[in-house]
Amino acid sequence: MSVIGERLQPTIFERSRPGRGDGKIPHPPKDALERIPAGQRRSRPAALPELNEPEVVRHYVNLGQLNYAVDTGFYPLGSCTMKWNPKLNEWAARLPGFANLHPLAPDEVAQGTLQLLWELQEALAEIGGMRAVTLQPAAGAQGELTGILMVRAYHRSRGDLERTEVLVPDSSHGTNPATASMAGFRTVTVPSAADGGVDLDAFRAALGPRTAAVMITNPSTLGLFEARIGELLADVHAVGALAYMDGANLNAIMGHFKPGEAGFDVMHFNVHKTFSTPHGGGGPGAGPVGVGEKLLPFLPSPRVLREPDGRYRLERPGERPTSIGRMRSFVGNSGVLVRAYAYIRAHGGSGLREVSEDAVLAANYLKHRLAGTYDIPYDRPCKHEFVAAAQTIRKETGIRTLDIAKRLIDHGFHPPTIYFPLIVEEAMLIEPTETESLETLDAFADALIAIAAEAHATPELVHDAPHATPVRRLDEAAAARQPNLRWRPMAGLETPCPD
Ligand SMILES: *Cc1c(COP(=O)(O)O)cnc(C)c1O
């Protein structure tokens, strides 16, 4: 039996009964064994589980039902944009012409896929107000690295070698400072102002001849739009630095704000967030990067190009020597890119604008419903997400945000992001997305309000939550630092994957 509670099932290995599963696996040709060098043959049979088909199916379906997913319920995980992923996208991504295309297929037989990728590059450039887009990066984080490597190449190409710093606000996602470090820069953290926006004075003080770039998330990770972005970018450019826009929150501003037009030199798109793709398990995603005029020569290669005669092709190796090179194999995570294309085409320009408006409306509605029960540290209209906090509840009852999040599971909801951004104590970052009904939003608000009442009336109920799950509170630090994920075989058998 696995580590935890009685409601978890035995592993598939423990269900195995000798002789139950074989018979359907075709036997290898007679001489197959002889062709394997003696030293590399197994001495004992592999410990593969032996079960009949219904047992296998039930095992995995039952395990799958232990998961919480967007397909089973509301998932307001701020910053992650866990919106509904239209099933139409799944159909499109599985079309055999896309799904079965060999990654090394010559351009002549890959015209359909190349056209889709080219049109996606164009659509993203239009949405972001950028000059051109690369689809290669595998996720937002790799998009950031791609963008900052291009910034580095730009300064170097001008012989400007003194720029060693990247400025990042203290509300930023952890990937921003990580990116700056990986690209060899020193991260300078700039504090936020009391209203949650960038502290303009602090930013100006930090800007200088050593600044290579600033990385800004707009709207910020507090869900607030940076209204003085024009002023800020003018200052950035005045000192010769470039401006990077973390586009993870693009789903709040489509059709209303184009980062390129506002003066950003480079941005990434988290297409698995903004344009939908299931990403709860950590991927795969895609993080295309858009650039303005200055960074155009440095885009990763190969780009997808359209010839004057309407044919599509991949850039040839060495065709653009200023390129920073390849960031990922082939053309990137093409299945995710097909989903993004399907989403964009299904909505169209006005539809995407409506997506953003609905996401903003849903977040403001929820914020309004929770005000009075939870602290709302930045009480001005938010974009697609907002911060609520349990500071007052903690003071009055000892119940913390973590307890509330765990109790939400008993009430049937996935908790929001908690303790992020780091600058708000007892923070919950709530992002409902545009895809949820009014009834769902109300049910979630009712649950959070009920939990606040429980915190006062029966604090132990909240403190010891969750009560209704197969496992209770896990030691999250141990789970992250000393994960024990390896099943050990029964005596006399060999593990299928030897150490
Ligand atoms: C999600 C996110 C990232 C990182 O993007 P991934 O696609 O997860 O690598 C960066 N910044 C912000 C604000 C984000 O929400």
Side-chain angles (χ1 to χ4, degrees):
M1 186 73 66
S2 47
V3 265
I4 7 186
E6 321 98 59
R7 282 179 52 198
L8 279 195
Q9 13 174 2
T11 67
I12 197 158
F13 295 99
E14 289 158 327
R15 283 177 186 272
S16 171
R17 294 292 174 271
R20 189 75 55 87
D22 68 356
K24 284 183 188 155
I25 300 170
H27 288 287
K30 268 209 189 80
D31 62 341
L33 204 58
E34 283 83 76
R35 285 196 233 147
I36 300 172
Q40 289 174 18
R41 289 182 212 154
R42 288 184 179 280
S43 51
R44 288 167 293 166
L48 296 174
E50 296 186 58
L51 292 88
N52 66 23
E53 184 171 322
E55 287 175 307
V56 173
V57 171
R58 285 173 197 152
H59 178 73
Y60 286 109
V61 169
N62 284 323
L63 273 184
Q65 287 177 350
L66 296 175
N67 278 348
Y68 193 98
V70 175
D71 280 6
T72 59
F74 184 51
Y75 212 131
L77 208 53
S79 212
C80 301
T81 314
M82 303 296 283
K83 66 164 73 169
W84 177 253
N85 303 289
K87 299 303 177 205
L88 178 70
N89 300 357
E90 300 306 310
W91 166 81
R94 283 170 175 73
L95 285 172
F98 294 128
N100 297 345
L101 184 67
H102 193 282
L104 293 174
D107 293 348
E108 308 84 75
V109 298
Q111 286 294 300
T113 292
L114 291 176
Q115 178 177 355
L116 178 143
L117 296 174
W118 186 83
E119 288 182 12
L120 181 61
Q121 286 177 177
E122 295 292 299
L124 292 175
E126 167 75 24
I127 292 165
M130 308 306 289
R131 275 277 280 122
V133 167
T134 170
L135 302 174
Q136 265 184 40
Q142 205 198 9
E144 291 175 34
L145 182 63
T146 305
I148 295 298
L149 288 178
M150 285 193 272
V151 167
R152 195 175 72 173
Y154 166 81
H155 291 307
R156 282 187 181 172
S157 75
R158 296 155 49 90
D160 190 351
L161 305 176
E162 301 300 311
R163 298 183 184 271
T164 51
E165 295 175 351
V166 170
L167 271 48
V168 173
D170 60 2
S171 61
S172 77
H173 197 269
T175 49
N176 290 186
T179 291
S181 303
M182 279 192 74
F185 292 103
R186 197 168 76 81
T187 303
V188 179
T189 307
V190 181
S192 300
D195 67 356
V198 172
D199 184 330
L200 269 187
D201 293 335
F203 235 97
R204 285 187 180 127
L207 271 176
R210 291 193 171 281
T211 313
V214 305
M215 298 181 82
I216 293 174
T217 311
N218 197 22
S220 72
T221 57
L222 298 164
L224 301 172
F225 188 75
E226 188 55 68
R228 292 169 304 178
I229 196 69
E231 257 178 86
L232 181 69
L233 296 188
D235 291 347
V236 169
H237 291 136
V239 300
L242 297 184
Y244 186 98
M245 157 105 172
D246 179 329
N249 294 336
L250 189 69
N251 60 319
I253 53 176
M254 287 184 291
H256 291 270
F257 174 74
K258 294 191 176 187
E261 286 178 3
F264 279 101
D265 300 287
V266 47
M267 71 176 289
H268 76 256
F269 303 80
N270 304 65
V271 299
H272 45 290
K273 297 179 182 174
T274 307
F275 305 116
S276 77
T277 271
H279 61 278
V289 172
V291 296
E293 206 63 44
K294 287 179 192 148
L295 295 184
L296 206 51
F298 308 104
L299 277 171
S301 59
R303 296 185 58 204
V304 182
L305 304 176
R306 186 168 73 165
E307 298 288 21
D309 67 2
R311 271 183 301 182
Y312 300 89
R313 69 172 178 94
L314 288 177
E315 233 173 10
R316 286 181 281 273
E319 184 172 341
R320 193 165 37 89
T322 49
S323 165
I324 60 165
R326 194 180 255 297
M327 290 302 292
R328 200 188 175 287
S329 50
F330 310 117
V331 292
N333 282 336
S334 61
V336 178
L337 299 172
V338 174
R339 290 176 176 86
Y341 180 83
Y343 186 88
I344 290 171
R345 290 301 298 261
H347 283 81
S350 59
L352 292 178
R353 188 182 164 96
E354 218 172 289
V355 161
S356 288
E357 287 165 2
D358 288 349
V360 170
L361 179 64
N364 278 283
Y365 177 76
L366 258 189
K367 178 163 83 79
H368 181 76
R369 284 230 39 208
L370 295 177
T373 306
Y374 289 86
D375 308 300
I376 304 291
Y378 303 102
D379 199 6
R380 58 185 167 105
C382 63
K383 289 293 165 197
H384 61 305
E385 61 190 357
F386 64 98
V387 177
Q391 293 159 8
T392 307
I393 290 176
R394 186 180 180 188
K395 226 173 281 158
E396 291 174 359
T397 69
I399 290 298
R400 305 190 56 201
T401 289
L402 178 69
D403 307 319
I404 294 165
K406 297 294 183 193
R407 184 64 181 147
L408 261 174
I409 302 171
D410 288 336
H411 282 260
F413 290 102
H414 194 286
T417 297
I418 58 173
Y419 300 109
F420 178 80
L422 306 175
I423 55 177
V424 178
E425 275 176 44
E426 301 300 330
M428 290 185 271
L429 183 61
I430 301 175
E431 178 174 9
T433 82
E434 78 283 0
T435 53
E436 299 297 337
S437 68
L438 181 62
E439 290 74 18
T440 300
L441 299 182
D442 275 331
F444 178 71
D446 291 344
L448 269 177
I449 292 166
I451 293 168
E454 289 172 354
H456 286 95
T458 49
E460 62 294 339
L461 186 66
V462 184
H463 187 265
D464 298 339
H467 302 276
T469 47
V471 296
R472 304 289 299 275
R473 279 197 203 195
L474 302 177
D475 180 341
E476 290 173 9
R481 302 232 166 98
Q482 299 149 8
N484 179 6
L485 305 174
R486 185 167 173 276
W487 174 79
R488 284 169 204 282
M490 278 87 73
L493 294 174
E494 243 180 82
T495 164
C497 308
D499 293 320

